[in-house]
Structure formats: C-alpha cells, structure tokens
Amino acid sequence: MNVFYPWREAPKADFAVIGDPIDHSRSPQMHGAAYTALGLQHRYVAIHVASSEVGIALDHLKTLGYRGVNVTVPHKAEAMAWADEPDALSRQIGVVNTIDLLTGLATNTDAPGFMDTLIPFGLRADSSVLLIGAGGSARALAVILAASGFRVDIWNRTSSRAQELATEFGLRQVDQATADYDLVINTTSAGLSQETLPIDWSVRKPTTVAYDLVYGQTPFLSLASQLGLTTQDGKELLVAQGARSFRFWLGIDPPKDIMRQAIQ
Ligand code: NDP
C-alpha cells in the first residue's frame, strides 16, 4: 500500500491525485521521479476524498496552495462540475482528470494520452477497433477514437450501456466480442478480479493488438499473448496521461522514460 492522506490532513505540497480508493496510485512516485530528474522542488501526494466531499476537498487544496490536481475513479465527473473552465474535449467526454487550481482550467489527458500510446503500433487512421466496456474510460476512448477516424465497434456485458455509447458517438454495437480487429481494447475492470471475458479468440488477425487498461498481466492479456498477439497493459497509459498533465501544469515535457521506470 502506498502513502496517502485524508484530504483534511493534506500536507504542504504542490500537486496531488485524489480518488477513492487511492492507496493503489502510482502517480506520486511517477511525478516525483520526474521532478527529481528535472531538479524541480515540487511535491506530489495521493489524497483520499470520499464522493460526497469532492468540491469541499478541492476548495481546501486550493486554499492550501496546491497548484494542480489529478482526479481518478470515481470523482472525474464531480471534478468537472467543480472546475471553472473544463476544455472542449473534456466537456465532450463528460469528465476531467486534470485541474489547474490556479487558473480553474481543466482537461482530460486520458483520451489523448491513450492515442499517444498507440503510436508504436503503427495503426492506420482507418483501423478497426473493438472497444470492450461502456464505463467512463470507454466513453473517453469512444470520443477520441471516433474523432481520429478509427472504425469502432463496441461490446459490453450490459448491452444497453454499449448501445447508448454507440448511438451517441456513431459506433456499431456488436452482440458478440471477437478478436478479428486491428485493435481490441479491454476497458472493463474485469482484470482486477482476474475474471475472463467472453471473447471469441478463434476469429482473430495475426496482427491484432490486445490492449488492457488495467496494469499488469490480466486473463485478457494472458490469453492474447498465448495466441502470439501483441499486447499492451495499462502502465503506458498511466505514463502518457501523467506526462500530459505534467505539461498542462508546468508547460514543459517531463522525461517519460524516468516516469515509466518509476512505476515498474
Ligand atoms: P467503470 O466503472 O466506469 O466501468 C466499468 C466497466 O467494466 C463497465 O463496462 C462494466 O460492465 C465492466 N465490467 C466490470 N466488471 C466486469 C466483468 N467481470 N465482466 C465484464 N465486464 C465487466 O470503470 P472505468 O471505465 O472508469 O475504468 C475501467 C478500468 O480501466 C478500471 O479497471 C481502471 O482501473 C482502468 N483504467 C486505467 C487507466 C490507466 O491509466 N491505465 C485509466 C482509466 C481507467 P457493465 O456496464 O456491464 O457493468
């Protein structure tokens, strides 16, 4: 378990990540490593905030002199309601994960950060994608993937939620998840409990990339890798969204390789 503080006991610091739970967060060591590498004196901490207290906790951190906050599950929508100026992308997605407490500007770095992580795979703009899940992160990816020209199908355990996203963002809802796509993205939290998803892997491309937003080896990634497919876990997204938040607050690019090493 990592060090974290209840918001009423927040220490003197410059940046924080808030969430519930928050003990699993690796953001403090990731941002801390970047500050050290760049010779910056900033401090980044993890802070526990219960759902009913997001607004009051953000007010408190601002009063304490915090410059910026990352927001994680389940507070991203409440944080957007609190922020003075969420940008156009975050308003379209409906949630923010990064707030500048000095200016009131807020954004979503998960969605563009995810696109950053796709670059090494060399996918073409019209590649086919299966989005598995229909929660907050699926929504963020639906917005950015559709805007980037990908052909996106969506499958979710609760089909009505997939249908809602499909209708809103012009995606195609499918009744059966298969692997014959250029990119199959698991945005569900099934991997956290080591649960297996009902995906038909018998139909797949040799070049299919299997991407899980959860960190580390999940049943989804294990199966894909046993079949010889290229895989990616959620750590690279953590780095990419963190790097974009860093730049949003400080206006400089952080050393991503140092951030990556810090969360291994
Ligand atoms: P939500 O709670 O909003 O959505 C959860 C989704 O998972 C729903 O579609 C739900 O389906 C589905 N689901 C949950 N359990 C199962 C299961 N056993 N089988 C099938 N489907 C299941 O979560 P988020 O979208 O916010 O986050 C999803 C995951 O992504 C989390 O594990 C989170 O940690 C990770 N994440 C990682 C990031 C990173 O930086 N690497 C960034 C953001 C998220 P249903 O609708 O049927 O309930």
Side-chain angles (χ1 to χ4, degrees):
M1 184 185 289
N2 299 320
V3 174
F4 70 94
Y5 303 88
W7 68 265
R8 288 186 177 82
E9 296 166 29
K12 189 163 170 37
D14 308 285
F15 299 98
V17 56
I18 65 166
D20 181 17
I22 199 62
D23 55 303
H24 65 284
S25 178
R26 303 181 193 190
S27 290
Q29 66 252 43
M30 184 173 77
H31 284 268
Y35 302 149
T36 303
L38 294 173
L40 300 172
Q41 299 303 311
H42 302 316
R43 184 178 180 203
Y44 186 118
V45 294
I47 293 184
H48 178 262
V49 176
S51 281
S52 56
E53 298 181 324
V54 173
I56 188 172
L58 287 169
D59 286 339
H60 182 66
L61 295 178
K62 185 175 174 178
T63 305
L64 287 180
Y66 279 65
R67 291 175 63 169
V69 168
N70 276 139
V71 184
T72 189
V73 178
H75 300 329
K76 294 180 187 184
E78 279 177 82
M80 187 167 112
W82 181 90
D84 291 334
E85 283 189 62
D87 65 7
L89 175 67
S90 55
R91 285 202 306 275
Q92 196 183 4
I93 296 171
V95 299
V96 300
N97 76 327
T98 307
I99 305 176
D100 186 325
L101 295 176
L102 301 182
T103 62
L105 295 172
T107 191
N108 185 305
T109 66
D110 287 328
F114 178 79
M115 297 310 290
D116 294 342
T117 70
L118 293 187
I119 292 168
F121 301 118
L123 297 168
R124 293 173 14 175
D126 64 346
S127 297
S128 60
V129 179
L130 178 65
L131 198 53
I132 301 175
S137 49
R139 187 182 166 84
L141 298 197
V143 169
I144 202 92
L145 287 165
S148 305
F150 288 94
R151 291 177 286 121
V152 185
D153 288 355
I154 182 165
W155 178 88
N156 188 50
R157 178 177 63 181
T158 308
S159 58
S160 57
R161 296 187 74 198
Q163 187 56 59
E164 281 168 28
L165 280 190
T167 303
E168 187 171 356
F169 298 112
L171 320 180
R172 190 173 69 114
Q173 191 217 344
V174 292
D175 295 330
Q176 166 72 54
T178 58
D180 53 342
Y181 293 84
D182 297 313
L183 176 64
V184 179
I185 313 165
N186 179 17
T187 75
T188 78
S189 38
L192 294 177
S193 47
Q194 294 299 310
E195 287 181 64
T196 304
L197 293 164
I199 300 167
D200 183 354
W201 292 95
S202 67
V203 277
R204 60 183 182 270
K205 296 185 174 195
T207 52
T208 298
V209 176
Y211 195 133
D212 200 321
L213 296 195
V214 169
Y215 314 146
Q217 196 68 325
T218 59
F220 170 81
L221 290 185
S222 296
L223 270 165
S225 119
Q226 279 161 26
L227 294 169
L229 304 181
T230 302
T231 60
Q232 175 65 58
D233 81 345
K235 286 198 209 97
E236 202 53 33
L237 174 55
L238 178 66
V239 172
Q241 61 79 29
R244 281 181 172 265
S245 297
F246 190 107
R247 194 181 314 125
F248 185 76
W249 295 317
L250 297 170
I252 48 174
D253 284 320
K256 272 192 185 178
D257 48 342
I258 303 255
M259 295 170 83
R260 192 176 292 117
Q261 279 165 24
I263 59 159
Q264 294 309 319

